[in-house]
Structure formats: C-alpha cells, structure tokens
Amino acid sequence: MVKSRTQIEAIIDFSAKENIEDGVYAQMCQDAYTLAKDIFAHLNDRRQSEIMCNGVALSIVGPSNPGKGTILNKRAQRQVAIAFPIAGTIRDIVEATSDTGGYPLVVSNTAGMRATSTDIIEQEGIRRAVEAA
C-alpha cells in the first residue's frame, strides 16, 4: 500500500501541474478496494473472534524448579500455583486468565520436564506438559 499512498500524494501534488500517467488513479482506486476487501475479510474471520472470546493460550514449560509457578502467580497477582522448592510439586496444568492490552491471556503452568522413575502421576503431568508445549 506504500505504492498507493505514493500515487495518491502524486495525484494531489502534481495533477494540476504535471501530467500523471494514464491509469494511475484507476489503479490506486482498485488497490484501495482490494485492501478494503482484505480488511473486511480479516474482521469477519471467526478465528479472530475466537481468540478474543477464549483468549490467547500461553504455556510455561521447562525443567523442575526454575520458577514457573512463581511466574504464573506474579502474572495472576494471586497464589494460583504451589510454588515450592521441591521437584515435582506441580503435576497438573494450572491456569490463570488475565487481561493483556484488552485481550484475554490464558497462562498455563505445567509440570517440570525431568526424568522420573516410576511415579505414574508425575509421568502423566510431564506428558501433559509436553502436550501443552
């Protein structure tokens, strides 16, 4: 659209004094019409309204005990996740929703990614963390 803007400026500035090539105005009008159609198609896209209703999903994923739960709690401005310095504290996905610039943001804290022995509950939490990632 930079080209269209340049053409509009040329028509405004030079149309009375200079000869503007034939078809420049018609092409600029066609480009503006195409842009307007693209904007309306974007505004009518159901996926955009889905994001605005349901929020943007963000998963906090990483090793055990780097502070994932603390980040979620700070973002939520309340104690959502248990933040304790023992590996394996978080085993399930914990979510908090907040407003970010007028858009909902759904932040998920996941189990820490680490090798675990036979603890099937922790293994399930890690599987879900991988899925969330």
Side-chain angles (χ1 to χ4, degrees), residues 77-99:
Q77 297 179 351
R78 61 188 173 93
Q79 295 297 307
V80 179
I82 298 170
F84 206 77
I86 296 175
T89 304
I90 301 295
R91 294 176 175 217
D92 209 346
I93 296 175
V94 180
E95 294 182 341
T97 303
S98 62
D99 181 276

Side-chain angles (χ1 to χ4, degrees), residues 62-64 87-88 111-119 122-123 126 130:
S64 293
M113 305 290 225
R114 67 184 185 128
T116 184
S117 58
T118 59
D119 188 335
E122 189 173 0
Q123 288 174 356
I126 293 169
V130 170

